[in-house]
């Protein structure tokens, strides 16, 4: 089977940097995705890592270590609008399996 | 491009009633999915369709049925609704490629269902 662990809540200050970790157990691993969901909204895709290393997209970066079954999402220059839930998800021999999400609160 | 659309946006049912949630995508994706989201539980896969004409059970299929009507449309049916099915339902479609080198899911706006 597949399972993912990520912190349930994180609080950070506006303008700061925050890292949301994700560890996973899976068979037939293809890649690790990150999705953002604002309250009342739908999940939206942020990033997908199939290979080890760091992928950068603007203020957001995502990292994967396949040997450690570990990844993280890094958010820089935090803004109030980044307050949302963030889900990691593993892609394997079956469709995406999502973690339970990390609720990020950005405070002034 | 509308992306993924879902109807209805809100629905209230009584226990035992039936209903169908509709989903359509205009991105020419092969794969489509139905999830439910409950507080603290993340997104749980109900059913998916890897291609037109095929459907498979996900993590929580009991009490649901699906139909992949054509490449664009994938519907979810509750035959006899129960209070435990009160949830937010999301449809998604995917660009998943062979070998998994890319896998991006696009979600519809969701249906908020309450079963009394």
């Amino acid at each position: 089977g597949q399972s993912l662990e990520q912190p349930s809540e994180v609080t950070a200050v506006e303008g700061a940097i925050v890292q949301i970790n994700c560890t996973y157990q899976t068979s037939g691993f293809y890649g690790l995705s990150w999705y953002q969901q604002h309250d009342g909204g739908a999940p939206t895709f942020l990033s997908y890592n199939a290979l080890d290393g760091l992928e950068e997209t603007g203020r957001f970066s995502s990292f994967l270590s396949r040997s450690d079954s570990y990844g993280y999402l890094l958010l820089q220059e935090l803004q109030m609008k980044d307050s949302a839930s963030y889900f990691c998800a593993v892609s394997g021999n079956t469709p995406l399996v999502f973690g339970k999400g990390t609720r990020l609160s950005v405070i002034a | 491009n509308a992306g993924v659309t879902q109807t209805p946006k809100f629905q209230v049912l009584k226990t035992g009633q039936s209903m169908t949630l509709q989903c359509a995508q205009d991105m020419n994706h092969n794969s489509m999915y139905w999830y439910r989201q409950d507080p603290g539980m993340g997104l749980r896969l109900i059913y998916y369709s890897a291609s037109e004409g095929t459907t498979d059970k996900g993590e929580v299929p009991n009490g649901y049925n699906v139909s992949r009507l054509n490449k664009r449309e994938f519907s979810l049916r509750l035959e006899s609704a129960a209070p435990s099915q009160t949830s937010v339902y999301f449809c998604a479609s995917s660009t998943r490629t062979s070998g998994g080198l890319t896998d991006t899911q696009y979600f519809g706006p969701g249906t908020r269902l309450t079963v009394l």
Side-chain angles (χ1 to χ4, degrees):
Chain A
Q2 294 162 310
S3 65
L4 299 97
E5 292 289 332
Q6 55 180 127
S8 58
E9 294 183 1
V10 172
T11 299
V13 177
E14 189 176 19
I17 299 172
V18 71
Q19 179 174 312
I20 300 174
N21 297 322
C22 176
T23 58
Y24 60 86
Q25 289 185 317
T26 185
S27 56
F29 177 80
Y30 285 167
L32 186 70
S33 302
W34 289 92
Y35 287 78
Q36 178 191 59
Q37 185 180 29
H38 287 99
D39 285 348
T44 57
F45 173 79
L46 290 176
S47 68
Y48 177 69
N49 294 66
L51 304 174
D52 283 357
L54 191 68
E55 298 268 351
E56 298 182 52
T57 308
R59 294 187 297 114
F60 292 5
S61 302
S62 56
F63 173 82
L64 175 65
S65 169
R66 296 172 70 106
S67 60
D68 294 324
S69 297
Y70 164 75
Y72 65 73
L73 179 69
L74 190 74
L75 295 81
Q76 303 181 71
E77 301 173 13
L78 279 173
Q79 302 175 9
M80 300 300 288
K81 67 178 182 180
D82 297 329
S83 292
S85 292
Y86 293 84
F87 296 88
C88 59
V90 290
S91 176
N93 292 328
T94 58
L96 283 183
V97 175
F98 287 84
K100 294 185 178 180
T102 298
R103 186 171 185 86
L104 171 63
S105 298
V106 180
I107 59 175
Chain B
N1 254 2
V4 180
T5 57
Q6 292 182 235
T7 56
K9 286 189 167 56
F10 300 92
Q11 183 71 47
V12 178
L13 294 177
K14 294 180 179 178
T15 297
Q17 288 185 317
S18 62
M19 78 162 296
T20 299
L21 283 65
Q22 306 287 353
C23 174
Q25 54 93 8
D26 61 2
M27 294 176 282
N28 201 37
H29 289 165
N30 285 322
S31 300
M32 297 186 73
Y33 312 84
W34 276 105
Y35 295 91
R36 61 176 290 173
Q37 186 174 36
D38 304 293
M41 296 297 293
L43 290 154
R44 292 186 292 170
L45 184 65
I46 304 171
Y47 271 94
Y48 67 100
S49 171
S51 61
E52 186 178 353
T54 68
T55 60
D56 286 287
K57 295 178 180 179
E59 180 186 356
V60 288
N62 291 345
Y64 306 94
N65 285 300
V66 291
S67 295
R68 183 74 183 266
L69 305 170
N70 47 55
K71 191 170 186 178
R72 291 187 64 249
E73 297 172 289
F74 189 37
S75 63
L76 178 72
R77 183 160 177 83
L78 287 71
E79 290 291 351
S80 178
S84 60
Q85 294 178 304
T86 293
S87 189
V88 180
Y89 292 85
F90 288 102
C91 176
S93 67
S94 172
T95 62
R96 182 183 175 106
T97 58
S98 175
L101 287 178
T102 61
D103 194 351
T104 302
Q105 291 201 4
Y106 298 85
F107 286 80
T111 295
R112 283 143 185 85
L113 175 67
T114 301
V115 183
L116 302 174

